[in-house]
Amino acid sequence: LGASQVLDTILARKEGAAATCALAAMNNPLLPSVLQSYPDVDVASLDWPEDAGTWERKELDMFIGSGGFLKPKKKKPQAAAA
């Protein structure tokens, strides 16, 4: 499936906040390359956290590879430089 097909499938299955989180994850530019490593994972069935759109490759690998069971710790906001 292409990225747009995956997004359509996810949005069709989710509503409200869940759809918003899934949309953020789909906008992550690393996602297509990570998904190639997990062809048997039903991405639409994963419960995407709201910060998934900002994850790095290792975080996406962990989440997708675990079937959504393992979620990266939320990053603390960096303090502004003085």
Side-chain angles (χ1 to χ4, degrees):
L1 290 176
S4 64
Q5 292 170 316
V6 170
L7 178 59
D8 290 343
T9 302
I10 290 172
L11 294 179
R13 292 188 189 176
K14 299 189 182 294
E15 297 178 4
T20 302
C21 293
L23 181 59
M26 293 300 111
N27 286 327
N28 187 319
L30 301 172
L31 187 61
S33 64
V34 173
L35 288 176
Q36 289 179 355
S37 300
Y38 303 97
D40 296 331
V41 172
D42 180 7
V43 179
S45 69
L46 300 177
D47 185 19
W48 292 92
E50 63 185 46
D51 61 339
T54 62
W55 288 350
E56 296 177 14
R57 182 177 180 87
K58 66 179 183 169
E59 296 165 321
L60 286 167
D61 272 322
M62 178 177 67
F63 180 74
I64 296 169
S66 71
F69 183 73
L70 299 175
K71 296 178 180 147
K73 293 181 182 179
K74 292 191 178 199
K75 297 177 184 174
K76 295 179 182 177
Q78 295 182 359

PDB file of all heavy atoms in Angstrom, residues 24-50:
ATOM      1  N   ALA A  24      -1.157  12.921  12.100  1.00  0.00           N
ATOM      2  CA  ALA A  24       0.162  13.453  12.464  1.00  0.00           C
ATOM      3  C   ALA A  24       1.247  12.419  12.197  1.00  0.00           C
ATOM      4  O   ALA A  24       2.316  12.737  11.671  1.00  0.00           O
ATOM      5  CB  ALA A  24       0.179  13.875  13.930  1.00  0.00           C
ATOM      6  N   ALA A  25       0.981  11.174  12.530  1.00  0.00           N
ATOM      7  CA  ALA A  25       1.952  10.102  12.293  1.00  0.00           C
ATOM      8  C   ALA A  25       2.200   9.918  10.801  1.00  0.00           C
ATOM      9  O   ALA A  25       3.338   9.708  10.372  1.00  0.00           O
ATOM     10  CB  ALA A  25       1.459   8.797  12.905  1.00  0.00           C
ATOM     11  N   MET A  26       1.152   9.995   9.996  1.00  0.00           N
ATOM     12  CA  MET A  26       1.300   9.806   8.557  1.00  0.00           C
ATOM     13  C   MET A  26       2.116  10.919   7.922  1.00  0.00           C
ATOM     14  O   MET A  26       2.699  10.739   6.861  1.00  0.00           O
ATOM     15  CB  MET A  26      -0.069   9.741   7.868  1.00  0.00           C
ATOM     16  CG  MET A  26      -0.886   8.519   8.227  1.00  0.00           C
ATOM     17  SD  MET A  26      -0.084   6.973   7.814  1.00  0.00           S
ATOM     18  CE  MET A  26       0.275   6.344   9.439  1.00  0.00           C
ATOM     19  N   ASN A  27       2.180  12.068   8.564  1.00  0.00           N
ATOM     20  CA  ASN A  27       2.965  13.186   8.043  1.00  0.00           C
ATOM     21  C   ASN A  27       4.436  13.073   8.409  1.00  0.00           C
ATOM     22  O   ASN A  27       5.236  13.898   7.993  1.00  0.00           O
ATOM     23  CB  ASN A  27       2.397  14.516   8.536  1.00  0.00           C
ATOM     24  CG  ASN A  27       1.105  14.869   7.831  1.00  0.00           C
ATOM     25  OD1 ASN A  27       0.925  14.547   6.672  1.00  0.00           O
ATOM     26  ND2 ASN A  27       0.212  15.515   8.537  1.00  0.00           N
ATOM     27  N   ASN A  28       4.796  12.070   9.183  1.00  0.00           N
ATOM     28  CA  ASN A  28       6.193  11.862   9.536  1.00  0.00           C
ATOM     29  C   ASN A  28       6.914  11.360   8.285  1.00  0.00           C
ATOM     30  O   ASN A  28       6.573  10.306   7.757  1.00  0.00           O
ATOM     31  CB  ASN A  28       6.318  10.850  10.671  1.00  0.00           C
ATOM     32  CG  ASN A  28       7.722  10.722  11.193  1.00  0.00           C
ATOM     33  OD1 ASN A  28       8.671  10.713  10.432  1.00  0.00           O
ATOM     34  ND2 ASN A  28       7.865  10.625  12.500  1.00  0.00           N
ATOM     35  N   PRO A  29       7.928  12.086   7.800  1.00  0.00           N
ATOM     36  CA  PRO A  29       8.593  11.692   6.552  1.00  0.00           C
ATOM     37  C   PRO A  29       9.343  10.358   6.636  1.00  0.00           C
ATOM     38  O   PRO A  29       9.659   9.763   5.617  1.00  0.00           O
ATOM     39  CB  PRO A  29       9.564  12.848   6.284  1.00  0.00           C
ATOM     40  CG  PRO A  29       9.778  13.504   7.602  1.00  0.00           C
ATOM     41  CD  PRO A  29       8.502  13.300   8.376  1.00  0.00           C
ATOM     42  N   LEU A  30       9.612   9.872   7.837  1.00  0.00           N
ATOM     43  CA  LEU A  30      10.323   8.611   8.014  1.00  0.00           C
ATOM     44  C   LEU A  30       9.405   7.396   7.932  1.00  0.00           C
ATOM     45  O   LEU A  30       9.864   6.272   7.741  1.00  0.00           O
ATOM     46  CB  LEU A  30      11.043   8.594   9.369  1.00  0.00           C
ATOM     47  CG  LEU A  30      12.070   9.698   9.589  1.00  0.00           C
ATOM     48  CD1 LEU A  30      12.552   9.684  11.023  1.00  0.00           C
ATOM     49  CD2 LEU A  30      13.227   9.531   8.628  1.00  0.00           C
ATOM     50  N   LEU A  31       8.113   7.608   8.076  1.00  0.00           N
ATOM     51  CA  LEU A  31       7.169   6.501   8.172  1.00  0.00           C
ATOM     52  C   LEU A  31       7.186   5.546   6.973  1.00  0.00           C
ATOM     53  O   LEU A  31       7.248   4.340   7.168  1.00  0.00           O
ATOM     54  CB  LEU A  31       5.759   7.012   8.437  1.00  0.00           C
ATOM     55  CG  LEU A  31       4.721   5.944   8.717  1.00  0.00           C
ATOM     56  CD1 LEU A  31       5.076   5.142   9.960  1.00  0.00           C
ATOM     57  CD2 LEU A  31       3.348   6.564   8.873  1.00  0.00           C
ATOM     58  N   PRO A  32       7.167   6.035   5.738  1.00  0.00           N
ATOM     59  CA  PRO A  32       7.147   5.086   4.615  1.00  0.00           C
ATOM     60  C   PRO A  32       8.333   4.120   4.615  1.00  0.00           C
ATOM     61  O   PRO A  32       8.154   2.920   4.363  1.00  0.00           O
ATOM     62  CB  PRO A  32       7.167   5.996   3.378  1.00  0.00           C
ATOM     63  CG  PRO A  32       6.555   7.273   3.854  1.00  0.00           C
ATOM     64  CD  PRO A  32       7.011   7.418   5.281  1.00  0.00           C
ATOM     65  N   SER A  33       9.515   4.613   4.928  1.00  0.00           N
ATOM     66  CA  SER A  33      10.680   3.720   4.920  1.00  0.00           C
ATOM     67  C   SER A  33      10.627   2.722   6.071  1.00  0.00           C
ATOM     68  O   SER A  33      11.040   1.573   5.928  1.00  0.00           O
ATOM     69  CB  SER A  33      11.985   4.515   4.954  1.00  0.00           C
ATOM     70  OG  SER A  33      12.110   5.233   6.155  1.00  0.00           O
ATOM     71  N   VAL A  34      10.091   3.126   7.209  1.00  0.00           N
ATOM     72  CA  VAL A  34       9.964   2.211   8.346  1.00  0.00           C
ATOM     73  C   VAL A  34       8.921   1.142   8.050  1.00  0.00           C
ATOM     74  O   VAL A  34       9.121  -0.037   8.353  1.00  0.00           O
ATOM     75  CB  VAL A  34       9.617   2.978   9.647  1.00  0.00           C
ATOM     76  CG1 VAL A  34       9.326   2.021  10.783  1.00  0.00           C
ATOM     77  CG2 VAL A  34      10.749   3.923  10.027  1.00  0.00           C
ATOM     78  N   LEU A  35       7.832   1.518   7.423  1.00  0.00           N
ATOM     79  CA  LEU A  35       6.761   0.562   7.113  1.00  0.00           C
ATOM     80  C   LEU A  35       7.229  -0.539   6.173  1.00  0.00           C
ATOM     81  O   LEU A  35       6.707  -1.659   6.226  1.00  0.00           O
ATOM     82  CB  LEU A  35       5.556   1.286   6.512  1.00  0.00           C
ATOM     83  CG  LEU A  35       4.745   2.138   7.481  1.00  0.00           C
ATOM     84  CD1 LEU A  35       3.637   2.863   6.737  1.00  0.00           C
ATOM     85  CD2 LEU A  35       4.193   1.311   8.619  1.00  0.00           C
ATOM     86  N   GLN A  36       8.222  -0.256   5.350  1.00  0.00           N
ATOM     87  CA  GLN A  36       8.748  -1.282   4.451  1.00  0.00           C
ATOM     88  C   GLN A  36       9.354  -2.446   5.230  1.00  0.00           C
ATOM     89  O   GLN A  36       9.381  -3.569   4.748  1.00  0.00           O
ATOM     90  CB  GLN A  36       9.790  -0.686   3.513  1.00  0.00           C
ATOM     91  CG  GLN A  36       9.184   0.231   2.483  1.00  0.00           C
ATOM     92  CD  GLN A  36      10.231   0.846   1.569  1.00  0.00           C
ATOM     93  OE1 GLN A  36      11.427   0.669   1.753  1.00  0.00           O
ATOM     94  NE2 GLN A  36       9.766   1.575   0.571  1.00  0.00           N
ATOM     95  N   SER A  37       9.814  -2.177   6.443  1.00  0.00           N
ATOM     96  CA  SER A  37      10.408  -3.225   7.275  1.00  0.00           C
ATOM     97  C   SER A  37       9.358  -4.087   7.968  1.00  0.00           C
ATOM     98  O   SER A  37       9.683  -5.131   8.529  1.00  0.00           O
ATOM     99  CB  SER A  37      11.305  -2.603   8.349  1.00  0.00           C
ATOM    100  OG  SER A  37      12.345  -1.872   7.759  1.00  0.00           O
ATOM    101  N   TYR A  38       8.100  -3.639   7.959  1.00  0.00           N
ATOM    102  CA  TYR A  38       7.024  -4.335   8.671  1.00  0.00           C
ATOM    103  C   TYR A  38       5.813  -4.532   7.752  1.00  0.00           C
ATOM    104  O   TYR A  38       4.728  -4.005   8.007  1.00  0.00           O
ATOM    105  CB  TYR A  38       6.618  -3.541   9.917  1.00  0.00           C
ATOM    106  CG  TYR A  38       7.762  -3.305  10.851  1.00  0.00           C
ATOM    107  CD1 TYR A  38       8.468  -2.108  10.834  1.00  0.00           C
ATOM    108  CD2 TYR A  38       8.180  -4.295  11.739  1.00  0.00           C
ATOM    109  CE1 TYR A  38       9.544  -1.901  11.697  1.00  0.00           C
ATOM    110  CE2 TYR A  38       9.258  -4.097  12.590  1.00  0.00           C
ATOM    111  CZ  TYR A  38       9.926  -2.894  12.554  1.00  0.00           C
ATOM    112  OH  TYR A  38      10.995  -2.696  13.401  1.00  0.00           O
ATOM    113  N   PRO A  39       5.963  -5.320   6.686  1.00  0.00           N
ATOM    114  CA  PRO A  39       4.868  -5.457   5.722  1.00  0.00           C
ATOM    115  C   PRO A  39       3.627  -6.159   6.279  1.00  0.00           C
ATOM    116  O   PRO A  39       2.536  -5.989   5.748  1.00  0.00           O
ATOM    117  CB  PRO A  39       5.496  -6.280   4.589  1.00  0.00           C
ATOM    118  CG  PRO A  39       6.618  -7.024   5.234  1.00  0.00           C
ATOM    119  CD  PRO A  39       7.127  -6.116   6.330  1.00  0.00           C
ATOM    120  N   ASP A  40       3.778  -6.924   7.361  1.00  0.00           N
ATOM    121  CA  ASP A  40       2.634  -7.658   7.909  1.00  0.00           C
ATOM    122  C   ASP A  40       1.878  -6.899   8.994  1.00  0.00           C
ATOM    123  O   ASP A  40       0.860  -7.375   9.482  1.00  0.00           O
ATOM    124  CB  ASP A  40       3.097  -9.005   8.469  1.00  0.00           C
ATOM    125  CG  ASP A  40       3.646  -9.908   7.377  1.00  0.00           C
ATOM    126  OD1 ASP A  40       3.191  -9.783   6.223  1.00  0.00           O
ATOM    127  OD2 ASP A  40       4.533 -10.721   7.669  1.00  0.00           O
ATOM    128  N   VAL A  41       2.366  -5.723   9.374  1.00  0.00           N
ATOM    129  CA  VAL A  41       1.702  -4.942  10.421  1.00  0.00           C
ATOM    130  C   VAL A  41       0.541  -4.164   9.817  1.00  0.00           C
ATOM    131  O   VAL A  41       0.691  -3.495   8.796  1.00  0.00           O
ATOM    132  CB  VAL A  41       2.698  -3.971  11.100  1.00  0.00           C
ATOM    133  CG1 VAL A  41       1.978  -3.028  12.052  1.00  0.00           C
ATOM    134  CG2 VAL A  41       3.760  -4.747  11.844  1.00  0.00           C
ATOM    135  N   ASP A  42      -0.618  -4.273  10.454  1.00  0.00           N
ATOM    136  CA  ASP A  42      -1.797  -3.507  10.036  1.00  0.00           C
ATOM    137  C   ASP A  42      -1.699  -2.137  10.702  1.00  0.00           C
ATOM    138  O   ASP A  42      -2.125  -1.948  11.842  1.00  0.00           O
ATOM    139  CB  ASP A  42      -3.076  -4.233  10.447  1.00  0.00           C
ATOM    140  CG  ASP A  42      -4.325  -3.484  10.028  1.00  0.00           C
ATOM    141  OD1 ASP A  42      -4.223  -2.467   9.308  1.00  0.00           O
ATOM    142  OD2 ASP A  42      -5.413  -3.925  10.432  1.00  0.00           O
ATOM    143  N   VAL A  43      -1.120  -1.201   9.990  1.00  0.00           N
ATOM    144  CA  VAL A  43      -0.856   0.127  10.537  1.00  0.00           C
ATOM    145  C   VAL A  43      -2.147   0.821  10.970  1.00  0.00           C
ATOM    146  O   VAL A  43      -2.161   1.573  11.937  1.00  0.00           O
ATOM    147  CB  VAL A  43      -0.100   0.990   9.503  1.00  0.00           C
ATOM    148  CG1 VAL A  43       0.167   2.373  10.025  1.00  0.00           C
ATOM    149  CG2 VAL A  43       1.197   0.316   9.126  1.00  0.00           C
ATOM    150  N   ALA A  44      -3.225   0.544  10.274  1.00  0.00           N
ATOM    151  CA  ALA A  44      -4.506   1.174  10.595  1.00  0.00           C
ATOM    152  C   ALA A  44      -5.042   0.733  11.950  1.00  0.00           C
ATOM    153  O   ALA A  44      -5.851   1.423  12.556  1.00  0.00           O
ATOM    154  CB  ALA A  44      -5.521   0.873   9.511  1.00  0.00           C
ATOM    155  N   SER A  45      -4.577  -0.403  12.444  1.00  0.00           N
ATOM    156  CA  SER A  45      -5.080  -0.890  13.731  1.00  0.00           C
ATOM    157  C   SER A  45      -4.301  -0.331  14.919  1.00  0.00           C
ATOM    158  O   SER A  45      -4.702  -0.517  16.065  1.00  0.00           O
ATOM    159  CB  SER A  45      -5.025  -2.422  13.775  1.00  0.00           C
ATOM    160  OG  SER A  45      -3.676  -2.862  13.818  1.00  0.00           O
ATOM    161  N   LEU A  46      -3.191   0.366  14.656  1.00  0.00           N
ATOM    162  CA  LEU A  46      -2.371   0.893  15.748  1.00  0.00           C
ATOM    163  C   LEU A  46      -3.010   2.134  16.360  1.00  0.00           C
ATOM    164  O   LEU A  46      -3.620   2.946  15.666  1.00  0.00           O
ATOM    165  CB  LEU A  46      -0.965   1.234  15.231  1.00  0.00           C
ATOM    166  CG  LEU A  46      -0.172   0.073  14.644  1.00  0.00           C
ATOM    167  CD1 LEU A  46       1.166   0.577  14.113  1.00  0.00           C
ATOM    168  CD2 LEU A  46       0.030  -1.022  15.662  1.00  0.00           C
ATOM    169  N   ASP A  47      -2.844   2.276  17.644  1.00  0.00           N
ATOM    170  CA  ASP A  47      -3.358   3.436  18.381  1.00  0.00           C
ATOM    171  C   ASP A  47      -2.229   4.461  18.463  1.00  0.00           C
ATOM    172  O   ASP A  47      -1.411   4.434  19.370  1.00  0.00           O
ATOM    173  CB  ASP A  47      -3.809   2.995  19.778  1.00  0.00           C
ATOM    174  CG  ASP A  47      -4.458   4.119  20.552  1.00  0.00           C
ATOM    175  OD1 ASP A  47      -4.895   5.110  19.930  1.00  0.00           O
ATOM    176  OD2 ASP A  47      -4.520   4.007  21.790  1.00  0.00           O
ATOM    177  N   TRP A  48      -2.187   5.362  17.481  1.00  0.00           N
ATOM    178  CA  TRP A  48      -1.083   6.312  17.351  1.00  0.00           C
ATOM    179  C   TRP A  48      -1.159   7.418  18.411  1.00  0.00           C
ATOM    180  O   TRP A  48      -2.170   8.103  18.511  1.00  0.00           O
ATOM    181  CB  TRP A  48      -1.104   6.951  15.969  1.00  0.00           C
ATOM    182  CG  TRP A  48      -0.780   5.987  14.889  1.00  0.00           C
ATOM    183  CD1 TRP A  48      -1.664   5.244  14.169  1.00  0.00           C
ATOM    184  CD2 TRP A  48       0.518   5.631  14.424  1.00  0.00           C
ATOM    185  NE1 TRP A  48      -0.995   4.449  13.276  1.00  0.00           N
ATOM    186  CE2 TRP A  48       0.350   4.671  13.403  1.00  0.00           C
ATOM    187  CE3 TRP A  48       1.805   6.041  14.759  1.00  0.00           C
ATOM    188  CZ2 TRP A  48       1.419   4.117  12.723  1.00  0.00           C
ATOM    189  CZ3 TRP A  48       2.874   5.485  14.073  1.00  0.00           C
ATOM    190  CH2 TRP A  48       2.678   4.536  13.077  1.00  0.00           C
ATOM    191  N   PRO A  49      -0.088   7.618  19.179  1.00  0.00           N
ATOM    192  CA  PRO A  49      -0.039   8.741  20.120  1.00  0.00           C
ATOM    193  C   PRO A  49       0.073  10.070  19.372  1.00  0.00           C
ATOM    194  O   PRO A  49       0.520  10.105  18.217  1.00  0.00           O
ATOM    195  CB  PRO A  49       1.236   8.480  20.936  1.00  0.00           C
ATOM    196  CG  PRO A  49       1.560   7.047  20.719  1.00  0.00           C
ATOM    197  CD  PRO A  49       1.050   6.722  19.342  1.00  0.00           C
ATOM    198  N   GLU A  50      -0.296  11.137  20.039  1.00  0.00           N
ATOM    199  CA  GLU A  50      -0.317  12.444  19.372  1.00  0.00           C
ATOM    200  C   GLU A  50       1.062  12.933  18.941  1.00  0.00           C
ATOM    201  O   GLU A  50       1.168  13.724  18.012  1.00  0.00           O
ATOM    202  CB  GLU A  50      -0.991  13.494  20.264  1.00  0.00           C
ATOM    203  CG  GLU A  50      -0.268  13.754  21.567  1.00  0.00           C
ATOM    204  CD  GLU A  50      -1.019  14.709  22.476  1.00  0.00           C
ATOM    205  OE1 GLU A  50      -2.226  14.536  22.651  1.00  0.00           O
ATOM    206  OE2 GLU A  50      -0.368  15.627  23.004  1.00  0.00           O
TER     207      GLU A  50
END
